[in-house]
Amino acid sequence: KSDRVRFFGNARVDSVGPLREAYDAVVLACGASGSRKLGIPGENLGGVYSAREFVGWYNAEPEMPVLDIAGSSQCVIIGQGNVALDCARLYLGDPQELSTTDVNASFLAMLETMPATRDCTVVGRRGATQAAFTIKELRELATLCRTEVLAEELEAGRTAASLRELKESRAKSRKQKLLESFPVPFRLQSTASLRFLLSPIEFKPRASDPTALGSVVFERCRLEGEAFE
């Protein structure tokens, strides 16, 4: 506890003007208020959900609906930030282990309907060096389940600019070394696959149900330009 910190909850802020008059700095750290669309065909198919919806559901946000993933054994997550790895870790998690946490009860009930062994693919447009997730989140996922990468995708992302980024950033270098050491000892038999240099271009419907997601089509990306700052 500190007398330098005060918390005000259930407060409505209509304007930052009065706050700017009372404080030297105002930081708006309210998180994402809505879902971001990819703008590709098939995005409205059943089974395609935003991270905002998925995270809101397992965190028991009151206005978030229960998502229908009953019986699911495979999922694709588009994006490679910490939220993406959190989503993968929760999807692949053991409902008994998660029952000791504050995860939404309806999410745990849905996990109970799924096969014990599940697969999750986490896809990003850039290379492994540019992936936004931190080594902490990566290590938590890797010790939960078998985590795989493709050697050819790591190699394809090893451009001169990427090597410069690794040389100039200890955090990126440590993360790269962990990726190259996979798989490391893990607890569950489920698998997380980290894929790089792929961009989604279409969600295709299921042959047996044209309203439901059947597969995702990706195109190969290539790194160009200077080192990422």
Side-chain angles (χ1 to χ4, degrees):
K1 295 182 179 180
S2 171
D3 57 8
R4 300 175 60 195
V5 177
R6 290 183 296 168
F7 173 77
F8 300 95
N10 295 320
R12 177 171 176 170
V13 179
D14 294 314
S15 171
V16 297
L19 293 174
R20 296 181 67 180
E21 293 175 2
Y23 297 95
D24 294 327
V26 178
V27 179
L28 303 178
C30 50
S33 60
S35 300
R36 182 179 177 183
K37 295 290 186 180
L38 293 174
I40 62 176
E43 199 162 1
N44 293 322
L45 290 172
V48 179
Y49 304 112
S50 70
R52 178 79 177 87
E53 292 172 313
F54 191 72
V55 172
W57 173 36
Y58 71 63
N59 279 329
E61 289 189 27
E63 297 180 359
M64 286 297 169
V66 174
L67 305 185
D68 184 12
I69 57 173
S72 167
S73 62
Q74 293 180 314
C75 84
V76 173
I77 296 175
I78 298 170
Q80 291 186 330
N82 282 341
V83 172
L85 263 58
D86 275 341
C87 289
R89 187 168 51 84
L90 268 292
Y91 176 82
L92 297 171
D94 181 349
Q96 289 189 336
E97 289 184 11
L98 291 172
S99 66
T100 63
T101 70
D102 57 358
V103 168
N104 191 353
S106 68
F107 179 80
L108 292 175
M110 195 72 74
L111 285 184
E112 293 282 4
T113 72
M114 300 180 187
T117 301
R118 300 183 290 281
D119 297 315
C120 179
T121 303
V122 184
V123 184
R125 292 179 300 143
R126 297 181 295 176
T129 303
Q130 293 78 32
F133 52 73
T134 61
I135 192 169
K136 177 180 178 293
E137 298 291 335
L138 179 60
R139 188 179 289 115
E140 286 182 359
L141 179 64
T143 55
L144 172 72
C145 63
R146 181 181 180 87
T147 305
E148 301 176 334
V149 296
L150 294 182
E152 53 266 37
E153 288 182 348
L154 292 182
E155 186 60 32
R158 205 184 300 274
T159 62
S162 293
L163 293 175
R164 178 183 166 190
E165 289 180 44
L166 291 174
K167 183 178 180 180
E168 296 178 350
S169 171
R170 181 173 179 271
K172 288 185 177 184
S173 178
R174 291 176 62 222
K175 190 168 61 177
Q176 185 81 10
K177 288 179 180 177
L178 179 57
L179 286 167
E180 293 171 354
S181 70
F182 286 161
V184 297
F186 49 89
R187 303 195 307 277
L188 305 179
Q189 293 305 308
S190 294
T191 300
S193 300
L194 303 180
R195 300 294 307 274
F196 304 100
L197 300 171
L198 292 170
S199 181
I201 58 173
E202 184 180 3
F203 295 107
K204 284 186 170 291
R206 194 178 303 166
S208 58
D209 182 357
T211 67
L213 176 67
S215 61
V216 187
V217 181
F218 293 89
E219 65 179 0
R220 177 61 72 187
C221 300
R222 183 178 63 189
L223 290 179
E224 295 181 348
E226 298 299 318
F228 184 75
E229 299 295 337

